[in-house]
Amino acid sequence: MSQMRFELLFGLFSTYINFRQMAWTKEALDSIAKLLEEDADSNFAIMLRFYRGWYDYIDSNGSVGEEMMTDVAAMFKLLNLRQPADLISKIIPQIKRNQRDPEKSMIFLF
């Protein structure tokens, strides 16, 4: 059940951020952090760092957050988790395009 809650909140985050509903996006991040306090999961904690970087990148018009996102890809590589590392490495350029032109490049993750 908790995995479903995490996935739902991460999905809501990606929907909200694509449509620049930053207050709702922040609420989703806060809900994920609270859920982690109740049900710690290292993979979701690492992904929360990625999503915080994504939020910061969009919210700052690309001036901060990129390092946090790339750190997560590096963490997954260190843990020999190639699939999530590769996925994140592919998503970062899409996030950059979305920041520049939100109407032409949206990313929905579930």
Side-chain angles (χ1 to χ4, degrees), residues 3-104:
Q3 180 171 347
M4 209 164 35
R5 290 173 62 195
F6 279 116
E7 290 172 1
L8 175 64
L9 288 167
F10 283 124
L12 287 171
F13 170 95
S14 69
T15 301
Y16 295 155
I17 202 159
N18 279 306
F19 294 101
R20 299 304 191 263
Q21 297 296 318
M22 301 309 281
W24 294 353
T25 304
K26 180 76 169 92
E27 282 183 42
L29 285 176
D30 293 344
S31 295
I32 294 165
K34 184 176 180 186
L35 184 56
L36 278 168
E37 290 174 8
E38 299 167 11
D39 187 11
D41 181 296
S42 59
N43 285 334
F44 289 127
I46 293 169
M47 285 305 296
L48 177 59
R49 181 171 174 78
F50 173 77
Y51 279 76
R52 285 183 198 250
W54 182 357
Y55 176 88
D56 290 346
Y57 191 82
I58 298 299
D59 195 46
S60 72
N61 292 318
S63 63
V64 297
E66 183 176 3
E67 184 177 331
M68 198 178 298
M69 291 187 292
T70 57
D71 284 350
V72 170
M75 284 183 220
F76 280 131
K77 285 179 187 173
L78 286 171
L79 295 169
N80 290 323
L81 299 170
R82 298 296 302 164
Q83 186 176 14
D86 292 345
L87 176 64
I88 287 174
S89 295
K90 290 176 185 174
I91 291 172
I92 292 171
Q94 293 176 340
I95 290 170
K96 290 179 177 182
R97 282 192 296 277
N98 174 263
Q99 190 281 320
R100 289 188 306 271
D101 194 354
E103 300 294 320
K104 291 187 178 179

